[in-house]
Amino acid sequence: MNARLENKKTLIRTDSLRVTFRNARVFSLFSKYLFNRHLNRHLVNALDGVSFSLKYGERLGIVGESGSGKSTLIHALAKLIPATSGSIFVNEDDVTHMAWRDFRPYRKLVQIIFQDFCNTLNPRMTLEEIMLEPLNIRFKNVPKTWKTSKIKSLFDVVMLSSSLLSRYPDQLSGGQRQRVSIARTLAMEPKLLICDEIVSALDVSVQAQILNLLKSLNRDQGIAILFISHDIAVTEYLCENMMVMKDGRILEYGSSEAICGDPQHPYTKKLISCVPSIHIG
Ligand SMILES: Nc1ncnc2c1ncn2[C@@H]1O[C@H](COP(=O)(O)OP(=O)(O)OP(=O)(O)O)[C@@H](O)[C@H]1O
Ligand SMILES: [Mg+2]
């Protein structure tokens, strides 16, 4: 265990978590006709017995190819989809079957930036209006002037100029939009930021800026990071620990240095061989 995390409490963990989908994609007329409908009952084990834990202040990466179950895992953690079996614990409380109303205080600890983050910014709202939304939820009875100065300080943290606040999302670059998504989630004062493939659409230099921003949020504010990516090099750069997923299972789980320095599984070796050697700094 990393010395920096040794005495930290566990923030979130899963025990043999399983999520099964009835695969709607084989519902096509073609398969119906050819296979006489029996494929309609085909089940996909998107998560197949996943057990992991993440401590306060930890940076943990989840790496794997498309379809390995990365997004399913974080959707299950946020209870956006139900667990088929197994358990999810937040602060060591079992939240797996908790009603949404009771789960709300736990949900506040965790914020997610989704894979299609560009679509999560309302194109008809200015950045100021976009930033006010979470603040109005988190700080209900607080004067507008306080919220305005809070927005400016959040923009400072993500290194965006407040002069952009009157702009609309489509008047920003991809990197700037990504910073707005991060600033929005920080408004909720999370203990854990889950980032689902948030840098893969950005060019390498902008990727590096966002990764360094996440590192500084972790270092300066102690926010834990759960970083999902198909790029093992980027994940190694950001995260002290990582797990490698394939077909809904964890193949390797440990320190990024150990996994990338001495990969045990051929699949991990393949992931490493797939990335061009890039230098981020
Ligand atoms: N709503 C759904 N209904 C049926 N199958 C689904 C659903 N969501 C995901 N799956 C299946 O579950 C598996 C895991 O998908 P998931 O989206 O978690 O993968 P991922 O690792 O996030 O992939 P990517 O890197 O492409 O985002 C895939 O086989 C996918 O087709
Ligand atoms: Mg995904």
Side-chain angles (χ1 to χ4, degrees):
M1 167 59 65
N2 184 316
R4 192 177 74 87
L5 299 168
E6 214 161 311
N7 299 319
K8 301 269 178 154
K9 262 178 38 184
T10 298
L11 170 55
I12 201 160
R13 81 178 165 89
T14 63
D15 184 15
S16 306
L17 187 63
R18 191 178 298 271
V19 171
T20 304
F21 291 112
R22 193 171 295 274
N23 199 345
R25 272 163 249 191
V26 289
F27 248 88
S28 71
L29 271 177
F30 181 65
S31 60
K32 226 173 169 177
Y33 176 72
L34 261 185
F35 301 109
N36 196 22
R37 297 163 67 138
H38 77 279
L39 278 182
N40 292 351
R41 292 190 294 276
H42 182 77
L43 299 176
V44 176
N45 282 328
L47 285 187
D48 197 2
V50 168
S51 303
F52 83 100
S53 70
L54 178 135
K55 291 188 170 228
Y56 276 84
E58 182 174 349
R59 300 186 307 273
L60 174 66
I62 305 178
V63 224
E65 288 175 335
S66 186
S68 54
K70 307 179 298 294
S71 296
T72 304
L73 174 58
I74 60 165
H75 293 164
L77 292 179
K79 282 168 68 74
L80 300 173
I81 52 172
T84 309
S85 66
S87 310
I88 304 167
F89 301 86
V90 181
N91 281 343
E92 290 302 347
D93 294 331
D94 189 342
V95 299
T96 323
H97 304 293
M98 203 176 254
W100 187 255
R101 190 192 180 90
D102 300 327
F103 182 60
R104 215 172 277 156
Y106 298 93
R107 180 68 184 83
K108 274 188 187 161
L109 300 173
V110 178
Q111 287 296 308
I112 306 178
I113 307 177
F114 288 101
Q115 202 158 1
D116 56 347
F117 68 92
C118 285
N119 301 332
T120 60
L121 300 178
N122 187 332
R124 281 185 287 276
M125 287 166 86
T126 65
L127 299 193
E128 180 162 22
E129 289 164 343
I130 285 171
M131 289 299 299
L132 271 172
E133 257 188 345
L135 288 171
N136 287 338
I137 297 169
R138 182 75 174 81
F139 305 97
K140 281 201 176 73
N141 302 314
V142 172
K144 170 97 193 293
T145 48
W146 181 88
K147 288 178 193 161
T148 309
S149 75
K150 177 84 178 165
I151 291 173
K152 288 192 173 135
S153 69
L154 288 168
F155 262 41
D156 279 349
V157 171
V158 298
M159 289 173 287
L160 278 179
S161 162
S162 317
S163 64
L164 297 175
L165 283 168
S166 56
R167 289 208 196 166
Y168 290 87
D170 63 2
Q171 297 172 317
L172 302 178
S173 70
Q176 286 172 325
R177 272 202 291 265
Q178 191 55 280
R179 285 168 195 275
V180 175
S181 313
I182 295 173
R184 235 176 95 86
T185 58
L186 294 179
M188 300 300 277
E189 302 188 342
K191 295 291 178 208
L192 169 63
L193 198 55
I194 300 182
C195 307
D196 189 359
E197 295 278 9
I198 67 166
V199 295
S200 31
L202 304 173
D203 73 48
V204 172
S205 68
V206 184
Q207 270 192 15
Q209 292 167 12
I210 299 291
L211 295 173
N212 288 332
L213 169 62
L214 293 175
K215 264 194 174 177
S216 67
L217 289 173
N218 173 260
R219 187 188 57 230
D220 303 339
Q221 300 189 26
I223 298 174
I225 310 276
L226 185 56
F227 183 79
I228 284 93
S229 178
H230 59 270
D231 187 328
I232 198 163
V234 162
T235 310
E236 183 194 15
Y237 174 75
L238 177 67
C239 301
E240 54 217 324
N241 297 317
M242 69 164 72
M243 55 197 211
V244 179
M245 285 187 70
K246 184 176 189 297
D247 299 334
R249 295 195 186 139
I250 300 176
L251 294 187
E252 294 201 49
Y253 181 22
S255 87
S256 303
E257 202 183 345
I259 290 177
C260 294
D262 184 20
Q264 298 300 304
H265 202 284
Y267 178 76
T268 314
K269 289 181 188 160
K270 192 178 121 196
L271 289 178
I272 293 172
S273 70
C274 283
V275 281
S277 52
I278 51 168
H279 300 283
I280 310 163

